[in-house]
């Protein structure tokens, strides 16, 4: 039951992480820093590069949420456990945006006129992705051991 509750809690934590500030960025500290979240970043992308915005939307929002829903359905015996490998691929796709965020922060810190500070949302979002991967792995092991016993 704890595994199920942990998985269902991600369905609440993901939207919080999407709106939470990932970082604060600005030109020179004297101009103040703007908070950037997954959602505000996506809004900017949709205005400037629709194709990239679509890719990031899939990796940052759709992939982790569908993976979590699929894992929960397996845990509640509403989805065949043989789907788990496909869900694991979705989890790996979701990790791609953590890499991109880290890359952007590193690049921006290299620019002497820019100021970047990581915010609590980056840790929440990363934690959600890592928890989803761990819960998916535990679910897969649980169902694999059940099948081995039968």
């Amino acid at each position: 039951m704890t595994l199920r509750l942990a998985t269902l809690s991600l369905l609440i934590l993901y939207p919080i992480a999407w709106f939470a500030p990932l970082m604060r960025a600005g030109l020179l500290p004297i101009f103040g820093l703007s908070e950037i979240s997954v959602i505000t970043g996506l809004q900017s992308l949709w205005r400037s590069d629709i194709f990239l915005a679509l890719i990031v939307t899939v990796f940052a929002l759709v992939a982790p949420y569908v993976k979590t829903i699929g894992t929960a359905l397996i845990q509640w015996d509403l989805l065949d456990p043989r789907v788990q490998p496909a869900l694991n691929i979705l989890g790996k796709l979701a990790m791609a945006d953590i890499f991109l965020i880290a890359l952007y922060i590193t690049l921006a810190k290299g620019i002497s006129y820019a100021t970047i500070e990581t915010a609590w949302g980056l840790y929440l979002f990363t934690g959600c992705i890592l928890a989803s991967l761990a819960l998916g792995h535990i679910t897969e092991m649980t169902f694999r051991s059940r099948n081995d016993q039968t």
Side-chain angles (χ1 to χ4, degrees):
M1 189 61 165
T2 304
L3 185 63
R4 290 177 177 176
L5 290 175
T7 303
L8 292 177
S9 70
L10 285 177
L11 296 176
I12 296 167
L13 290 173
Y14 269 125
I16 293 169
W18 296 333
F19 288 93
L22 297 174
M23 65 185 94
R24 293 174 195 86
L27 291 175
L28 300 174
I30 58 175
F31 293 118
L33 301 175
S34 300
E35 288 189 341
I36 299 168
S37 68
V38 172
I39 297 300
T40 60
L42 282 172
Q43 288 171 338
S44 294
L45 274 177
W46 280 106
R47 287 189 289 263
S48 63
D49 189 338
I50 293 174
F51 182 71
L52 184 58
L54 185 61
I55 291 170
V56 173
T57 299
V58 169
F59 287 164
L61 304 181
V62 177
Y65 215 69
V66 168
K67 180 193 183 295
T68 303
I69 290 170
T71 301
L73 291 173
I74 290 171
Q75 291 170 350
W76 292 89
D77 294 322
L78 298 172
L79 187 64
D80 192 328
R82 291 179 291 185
V83 175
Q84 191 68 43
L87 295 176
N88 289 340
I89 291 171
L90 282 176
K92 290 175 184 168
L93 288 175
M95 283 302 291
D97 52 321
I98 298 295
F99 168 75
L100 289 174
I101 291 168
L103 181 65
Y104 293 146
I105 290 172
T106 303
L107 289 174
K109 284 187 174 188
I111 301 170
S112 61
Y113 299 110
T115 300
I116 299 285
E117 297 174 359
T118 56
W120 64 273
L122 180 62
Y123 302 108
L124 176 61
F125 188 55
T126 303
C128 287
I129 298 290
L130 293 175
S132 178
L133 288 172
L135 291 168
H137 181 71
I138 293 167
T139 300
E140 185 175 10
M141 294 297 115
T142 302
F143 280 89
R144 188 177 294 161
S145 67
R146 277 189 203 171
N147 290 339
D148 291 344
Q149 292 174 357
T150 57

